[in-house]
Structure formats: structure tokens, C-alpha cells
Amino acid sequence: PAPGPAGLAAWRLAMHVPPFDPRREPDAQHVDWLLLDDADLLHRLAVARADLVGVALAGSGRLVDGGVLTTAAAETLAMRAMLLRSFTSYWRIGRGRTVTVEDIDTSGAVSATMRGRILELLAETDGDPARFAAGLDPVHKRVQNLQRTIAAKLLDYLRDTGAIDEQEILNEAAVLQRVLADAGLRAARDGAAPPDAAMVRDCVARWWLAAEAAIAS
């Protein structure tokens, strides 16, 4: 159904639009987070089953041909997706990203015997890098029979791959400054005009507020 008289916020609730979470990969975010409250376009994309950023970008040509997107709208989505990738990368500085089962399996640190116990900890912590790292500390005895050498090897792997990041966290102003700089460099490289700075600020402000809510929940 299209958004009705109750408004876009009520529609989001009814359609179970997932909240923004910067620990999730940008392509897995709901496309609503690129639209800045464009209810008509959001509805068209939802009907076309292109409600995730990655799906909408990958199918943009088909969506333009089918009248779901105009060429200008497709270009705007692509540009905002690049802004979202920049925002996510800078927001994660000092915070890391969600630890996944793939991280455990590719680390080379976890034996088949320990894998189940490690995955239990992963599930208990929802992949939160700080909580997961704390749970690996043998002092806490969260993982039975976990050796310090195994925990250290796994933690080193997670640091090397960016899941655990111990740098100083950037504030909103610092993230915005870097996102604007990235956008300017990209535009200069492509010989295009940079995106409107007010729009970039609006996007970053919306994502930052939603990110704070995500980590507080």
C-alpha cells in the first residue's frame, strides 16, 4: 500500500522498514535512508522490490526503463549511496563493524571443536565488536576452555580486517567534513559539480541521529 493520511512515519512502521544501523553494510540499508522523505519514490521502489540500497543500485537501469526511477532520480540515488559509504566508513572509525560468522571461519584461529562455542558468544553479543572482544577474554570465562593464544589470534585478525577498531572515534562535525571532502574529490575526478552541501549536511545529520539511536538500543 502507498503511504496514506497517517503519514510516512506510520507507513514505515506498518511496512516494518528496518532502522538504520551503520554496523550493517551500506548496500544492506533500506533505500528509505537515501530518499529524505520522498514518499512517492519510496513506495514505487518498495512495489518494485528494490527496497534495499544494493538492490536499487544494481537494478537502476531496469528501474529507469520500467518508469520506477527517472534518470535524474537514479543518479541522485547513486550519489547518495556514495555519501552513505563515506559516512559509514568514517562513523566506524574507533567503533569497527559487526563481527560475522565469516570472520570466525576465515580467521584461521578457531578449531572445529571451539567453533560452536565461539559462535554462541557471537550470537549472544549480536556481533558487536566491543562486546565480542570482551567476551573472548579468558578472565571472564564466557567461552569454556578458550586458550589465550587462540583468543589473541582471533582478535588480531579482527583488528586487521577492521571489525575491531581502536582509533579515536570521530564526532559528527569531523565525519561531515570528511564526507564533504570525499564528495568534492570525487566530483573533481569525474569532472562534475559537487553535490549540494546543504543536502549532504541533511543526509549526514539524519544518518548520525539514527546511528546514535542504533547503538543506544
Side-chain angles (χ1 to χ4, degrees), residues 70-111:
T70 63
T71 300
E75 291 173 351
T76 297
L77 282 181
M79 179 268 295
R80 289 183 183 167
M82 287 189 290
L83 296 176
L84 177 59
R85 293 188 188 105
S86 288
F87 172 88
T88 301
S89 67
Y90 292 123
W91 183 91
R92 285 179 177 174
I93 291 176
R95 292 186 173 97
R97 59 165 175 78
T98 300
V99 181
T100 66
V101 175
E102 184 180 3
D103 288 322
I104 306 305
D105 290 340
T106 58
S107 67
V110 180
S111 67

Short mmCIF file of all heavy atoms in Angstrom, two decimals, residues 70-111:
data_model
loop_
_atom_site.label_atom_id
_atom_site.label_comp_id
_atom_site.label_asym_id
_atom_site.label_seq_id
_atom_site.Cartn_x
_atom_site.Cartn_y
_atom_site.Cartn_z
N THR A 70 13.33 8.01 -12.59
CA THR A 70 13.81 8.83 -13.68
C THR A 70 15.34 8.72 -13.72
O THR A 70 15.97 8.27 -12.75
CB THR A 70 13.42 10.30 -13.49
OG1 THR A 70 14.07 10.78 -12.28
CG2 THR A 70 11.92 10.45 -13.35
N THR A 71 15.93 9.12 -14.81
CA THR A 71 17.39 9.11 -14.89
C THR A 71 17.99 9.99 -13.80
O THR A 71 18.98 9.62 -13.15
CB THR A 71 17.85 9.60 -16.27
OG1 THR A 71 17.33 8.72 -17.28
CG2 THR A 71 19.37 9.60 -16.37
N ALA A 72 17.37 11.14 -13.56
CA ALA A 72 17.88 12.04 -12.53
C ALA A 72 17.77 11.41 -11.14
O ALA A 72 18.69 11.52 -10.32
CB ALA A 72 17.10 13.36 -12.56
N ALA A 73 16.66 10.71 -10.88
CA ALA A 73 16.49 10.06 -9.58
C ALA A 73 17.51 8.95 -9.39
O ALA A 73 18.04 8.76 -8.29
CB ALA A 73 15.08 9.52 -9.44
N ALA A 74 17.79 8.20 -10.47
CA ALA A 74 18.79 7.13 -10.38
C ALA A 74 20.16 7.71 -10.07
O ALA A 74 20.93 7.15 -9.27
CB ALA A 74 18.83 6.34 -11.69
N GLU A 75 20.49 8.84 -10.70
CA GLU A 75 21.78 9.49 -10.44
C GLU A 75 21.85 10.00 -9.01
O GLU A 75 22.90 9.91 -8.35
CB GLU A 75 21.98 10.63 -11.44
CG GLU A 75 22.19 10.15 -12.87
CD GLU A 75 22.22 11.30 -13.87
OE1 GLU A 75 21.89 12.46 -13.46
OE2 GLU A 75 22.55 11.06 -15.05
N THR A 76 20.73 10.53 -8.50
CA THR A 76 20.70 11.01 -7.12
C THR A 76 20.89 9.86 -6.14
O THR A 76 21.64 9.98 -5.16
CB THR A 76 19.37 11.73 -6.83
OG1 THR A 76 19.27 12.88 -7.67
CG2 THR A 76 19.29 12.17 -5.37
N LEU A 77 20.24 8.74 -6.39
CA LEU A 77 20.40 7.57 -5.53
C LEU A 77 21.86 7.11 -5.51
O LEU A 77 22.40 6.80 -4.45
CB LEU A 77 19.50 6.42 -5.98
CG LEU A 77 18.02 6.49 -5.63
CD1 LEU A 77 17.31 5.25 -6.14
CD2 LEU A 77 17.82 6.62 -4.12
N ALA A 78 22.48 7.06 -6.67
CA ALA A 78 23.87 6.62 -6.76
C ALA A 78 24.79 7.57 -6.01
O ALA A 78 25.71 7.14 -5.30
CB ALA A 78 24.30 6.51 -8.22
N MET A 79 24.52 8.85 -6.14
CA MET A 79 25.35 9.84 -5.45
C MET A 79 25.19 9.74 -3.93
O MET A 79 26.16 9.76 -3.18
CB MET A 79 24.99 11.25 -5.94
CG MET A 79 25.78 12.38 -5.29
SD MET A 79 24.89 13.01 -3.84
CE MET A 79 23.44 13.70 -4.64
N ARG A 80 23.94 9.59 -3.48
CA ARG A 80 23.71 9.49 -2.04
C ARG A 80 24.24 8.17 -1.48
O ARG A 80 24.66 8.12 -0.32
CB ARG A 80 22.22 9.66 -1.73
CG ARG A 80 21.74 11.09 -1.94
CD ARG A 80 20.29 11.25 -1.57
NE ARG A 80 19.83 12.62 -1.85
CZ ARG A 80 18.56 12.99 -1.87
NH1 ARG A 80 17.61 12.10 -1.59
NH2 ARG A 80 18.23 14.23 -2.14
N ALA A 81 24.22 7.14 -2.30
CA ALA A 81 24.82 5.87 -1.85
C ALA A 81 26.31 6.04 -1.62
O ALA A 81 26.87 5.46 -0.67
CB ALA A 81 24.54 4.77 -2.87
N MET A 82 26.98 6.82 -2.47
CA MET A 82 28.40 7.09 -2.26
C MET A 82 28.61 7.89 -0.98
O MET A 82 29.55 7.64 -0.22
CB MET A 82 28.98 7.82 -3.47
CG MET A 82 29.14 6.93 -4.70
SD MET A 82 30.06 7.70 -6.06
CE MET A 82 28.90 8.94 -6.62
N LEU A 83 27.73 8.84 -0.72
CA LEU A 83 27.80 9.59 0.54
C LEU A 83 27.61 8.66 1.73
O LEU A 83 28.32 8.78 2.75
CB LEU A 83 26.73 10.68 0.58
CG LEU A 83 26.82 11.80 -0.46
CD1 LEU A 83 25.61 12.73 -0.32
CD2 LEU A 83 28.12 12.59 -0.32
N LEU A 84 26.67 7.73 1.60
CA LEU A 84 26.41 6.78 2.69
C LEU A 84 27.63 5.90 2.94
O LEU A 84 27.96 5.61 4.10
CB LEU A 84 25.20 5.92 2.35
CG LEU A 84 24.83 4.83 3.37
CD1 LEU A 84 24.55 5.44 4.74
CD2 LEU A 84 23.64 4.03 2.87
N ARG A 85 28.30 5.47 1.88
CA ARG A 85 29.51 4.65 2.06
C ARG A 85 30.60 5.45 2.78
O ARG A 85 31.29 4.92 3.67
CB ARG A 85 30.00 4.14 0.71
CG ARG A 85 29.06 3.15 0.05
CD ARG A 85 29.66 2.53 -1.20
NE ARG A 85 28.67 1.72 -1.90
CZ ARG A 85 28.05 2.08 -3.02
NH1 ARG A 85 28.35 3.25 -3.59
NH2 ARG A 85 27.14 1.30 -3.58
N SER A 86 30.76 6.71 2.40
CA SER A 86 31.74 7.56 3.08
C SER A 86 31.37 7.73 4.54
O SER A 86 32.21 7.58 5.45
CB SER A 86 31.83 8.93 2.41
OG SER A 86 32.46 8.85 1.16
N PHE A 87 30.10 8.06 4.78
CA PHE A 87 29.64 8.24 6.16
C PHE A 87 29.91 6.99 6.98
O PHE A 87 30.45 7.08 8.10
CB PHE A 87 28.14 8.55 6.18
CG PHE A 87 27.56 8.55 7.57
CD1 PHE A 87 27.57 9.70 8.34
CD2 PHE A 87 27.02 7.38 8.12
CE1 PHE A 87 27.06 9.70 9.64
CE2 PHE A 87 26.51 7.37 9.41
CZ PHE A 87 26.52 8.53 10.17
N THR A 88 29.56 5.83 6.45
CA THR A 88 29.70 4.58 7.19
C THR A 88 31.16 4.32 7.53
O THR A 88 31.50 3.92 8.65
CB THR A 88 29.13 3.41 6.38
OG1 THR A 88 27.74 3.66 6.11
CG2 THR A 88 29.25 2.10 7.14
N SER A 89 32.05 4.53 6.56
CA SER A 89 33.47 4.26 6.80
C SER A 89 34.04 5.16 7.88
O SER A 89 34.83 4.71 8.73
CB SER A 89 34.27 4.41 5.50
OG SER A 89 34.30 5.76 5.06
N TYR A 90 33.63 6.43 7.90
CA TYR A 90 34.15 7.35 8.91
C TYR A 90 33.47 7.14 10.25
O TYR A 90 34.11 7.29 11.31
CB TYR A 90 34.00 8.80 8.44
CG TYR A 90 34.89 9.11 7.26
CD1 TYR A 90 34.37 9.59 6.06
CD2 TYR A 90 36.26 8.90 7.34
CE1 TYR A 90 35.18 9.86 4.97
CE2 TYR A 90 37.09 9.17 6.25
CZ TYR A 90 36.54 9.64 5.07
OH TYR A 90 37.35 9.88 3.99
N TRP A 91 32.17 6.83 10.25
CA TRP A 91 31.48 6.55 11.51
C TRP A 91 32.11 5.35 12.21
O TRP A 91 32.19 5.31 13.44
CB TRP A 91 29.99 6.30 11.26
CG TRP A 91 29.21 6.09 12.51
CD1 TRP A 91 28.56 7.04 13.24
CD2 TRP A 91 29.00 4.85 13.21
NE1 TRP A 91 27.97 6.47 14.35
CE2 TRP A 91 28.22 5.13 14.35
CE3 TRP A 91 29.40 3.53 12.98
CZ2 TRP A 91 27.83 4.14 15.25
CZ3 TRP A 91 29.02 2.54 13.88
CH2 TRP A 91 28.24 2.84 15.00
N ARG A 92 32.57 4.38 11.44
CA ARG A 92 33.11 3.16 12.02
C ARG A 92 34.50 3.34 12.63
O ARG A 92 34.96 2.48 13.39
CB ARG A 92 33.18 2.07 10.95
CG ARG A 92 31.83 1.47 10.60
CD ARG A 92 31.98 0.43 9.52
NE ARG A 92 30.71 -0.21 9.21
CZ ARG A 92 30.55 -1.07 8.22
NH1 ARG A 92 31.59 -1.42 7.46
NH2 ARG A 92 29.37 -1.63 8.00
N ILE A 93 35.17 4.43 12.32
CA ILE A 93 36.49 4.66 12.91
C ILE A 93 36.36 4.70 14.43
O ILE A 93 35.57 5.47 14.98
CB ILE A 93 37.12 5.96 12.38
CG1 ILE A 93 37.49 5.81 10.90
CG2 ILE A 93 38.35 6.34 13.20
CD1 ILE A 93 38.02 7.07 10.26
N GLY A 94 37.10 3.83 15.09
CA GLY A 94 37.02 3.74 16.53
C GLY A 94 35.89 2.86 17.03
O GLY A 94 35.80 2.59 18.23
N ARG A 95 35.03 2.41 16.12
CA ARG A 95 33.89 1.58 16.51
C ARG A 95 33.94 0.20 15.86
O ARG A 95 33.44 -0.76 16.42
CB ARG A 95 32.58 2.26 16.10
CG ARG A 95 32.25 3.54 16.86
CD ARG A 95 30.87 4.00 16.47
NE ARG A 95 30.41 5.14 17.26
CZ ARG A 95 30.49 6.40 16.88
NH1 ARG A 95 31.06 6.70 15.73
NH2 ARG A 95 30.03 7.37 17.65
N GLY A 96 34.53 0.12 14.67
CA GLY A 96 34.59 -1.15 13.97
C GLY A 96 33.28 -1.47 13.27
O GLY A 96 32.46 -0.60 13.00
N ARG A 97 33.09 -2.74 12.98
CA ARG A 97 31.89 -3.20 12.28
C ARG A 97 31.42 -4.49 12.94
O ARG A 97 32.10 -5.05 13.80
CB ARG A 97 32.19 -3.45 10.80
CG ARG A 97 33.28 -4.48 10.58
CD ARG A 97 33.33 -4.98 9.15
NE ARG A 97 34.45 -5.88 8.92
CZ ARG A 97 34.46 -7.17 9.29
NH1 ARG A 97 33.43 -7.70 9.91
NH2 ARG A 97 35.52 -7.92 9.05
N THR A 98 30.27 -4.96 12.51
CA THR A 98 29.72 -6.20 13.06
C THR A 98 30.63 -7.38 12.75
O THR A 98 31.08 -7.55 11.61
CB THR A 98 28.32 -6.46 12.47
OG1 THR A 98 27.47 -5.35 12.81
CG2 THR A 98 27.73 -7.74 13.02
N VAL A 99 30.93 -8.17 13.76
CA VAL A 99 31.69 -9.41 13.57
C VAL A 99 30.74 -10.47 13.02
O VAL A 99 29.61 -10.62 13.51
CB VAL A 99 32.30 -9.89 14.90
CG1 VAL A 99 33.12 -11.16 14.69
CG2 VAL A 99 33.18 -8.79 15.50
N THR A 100 31.16 -11.20 12.00
CA THR A 100 30.29 -12.16 11.33
C THR A 100 30.82 -13.59 11.49
O THR A 100 31.97 -13.81 11.87
CB THR A 100 30.18 -11.84 9.83
OG1 THR A 100 31.48 -12.05 9.23
CG2 THR A 100 29.74 -10.39 9.61
N VAL A 101 29.97 -14.53 11.14
CA VAL A 101 30.39 -15.94 11.12
C VAL A 101 31.54 -16.12 10.13
O VAL A 101 32.49 -16.88 10.39
CB VAL A 101 29.20 -16.84 10.74
CG1 VAL A 101 29.65 -18.29 10.59
CG2 VAL A 101 28.10 -16.74 11.79
N GLU A 102 31.48 -15.39 9.02
CA GLU A 102 32.55 -15.48 8.03
C GLU A 102 33.89 -15.05 8.64
O GLU A 102 34.94 -15.65 8.34
CB GLU A 102 32.23 -14.61 6.82
CG GLU A 102 33.25 -14.72 5.70
CD GLU A 102 32.91 -13.85 4.51
OE1 GLU A 102 31.90 -13.12 4.57
OE2 GLU A 102 33.66 -13.91 3.52
N ASP A 103 33.87 -14.03 9.48
CA ASP A 103 35.10 -13.61 10.16
C ASP A 103 35.69 -14.76 10.97
O ASP A 103 36.91 -15.00 10.93
CB ASP A 103 34.83 -12.43 11.10
CG ASP A 103 34.57 -11.13 10.38
OD1 ASP A 103 35.23 -10.88 9.36
OD2 ASP A 103 33.70 -10.38 10.85
N ILE A 104 34.85 -15.47 11.69
CA ILE A 104 35.31 -16.57 12.53
C ILE A 104 35.92 -17.67 11.66
O ILE A 104 37.00 -18.19 11.95
CB ILE A 104 34.15 -17.14 13.37
CG1 ILE A 104 33.46 -16.03 14.17
CG2 ILE A 104 34.65 -18.25 14.28
CD1 ILE A 104 34.34 -15.21 15.05
N ASP A 105 35.22 -17.97 10.57
CA ASP A 105 35.64 -19.10 9.74
C ASP A 105 36.88 -18.81 8.90
O ASP A 105 37.61 -19.73 8.54
CB ASP A 105 34.48 -19.54 8.83
CG ASP A 105 33.35 -20.20 9.60
OD1 ASP A 105 33.60 -20.65 10.73
OD2 ASP A 105 32.22 -20.26 9.07
N THR A 106 37.11 -17.54 8.57
CA THR A 106 38.27 -17.20 7.74
C THR A 106 39.47 -16.74 8.56
O THR A 106 40.54 -16.49 7.99
CB THR A 106 37.92 -16.11 6.71
OG1 THR A 106 37.44 -14.95 7.40
CG2 THR A 106 36.85 -16.60 5.74
N SER A 107 39.30 -16.63 9.86
CA SER A 107 40.40 -16.13 10.70
C SER A 107 41.55 -17.12 10.81
O SER A 107 42.70 -16.71 11.06
CB SER A 107 39.87 -15.82 12.10
OG SER A 107 39.49 -17.03 12.77
N GLY A 108 41.26 -18.40 10.66
CA GLY A 108 42.29 -19.43 10.84
C GLY A 108 42.67 -19.64 12.29
O GLY A 108 43.62 -20.37 12.58
N ALA A 109 41.90 -19.03 13.19
CA ALA A 109 42.24 -19.13 14.61
C ALA A 109 41.39 -20.14 15.36
O ALA A 109 41.79 -20.59 16.44
CB ALA A 109 42.09 -17.76 15.27
N VAL A 110 40.24 -20.47 14.82
CA VAL A 110 39.25 -21.24 15.58
C VAL A 110 39.15 -22.66 15.04
O VAL A 110 38.87 -22.87 13.85
CB VAL A 110 37.87 -20.55 15.51
CG1 VAL A 110 36.83 -21.35 16.30
CG2 VAL A 110 37.96 -19.12 16.05
N SER A 111 39.35 -23.62 15.91
CA SER A 111 39.25 -25.03 15.52
C SER A 111 37.79 -25.44 15.42
O SER A 111 36.89 -24.76 15.91
CB SER A 111 39.96 -25.91 16.55
OG SER A 111 39.26 -25.86 17.79
#
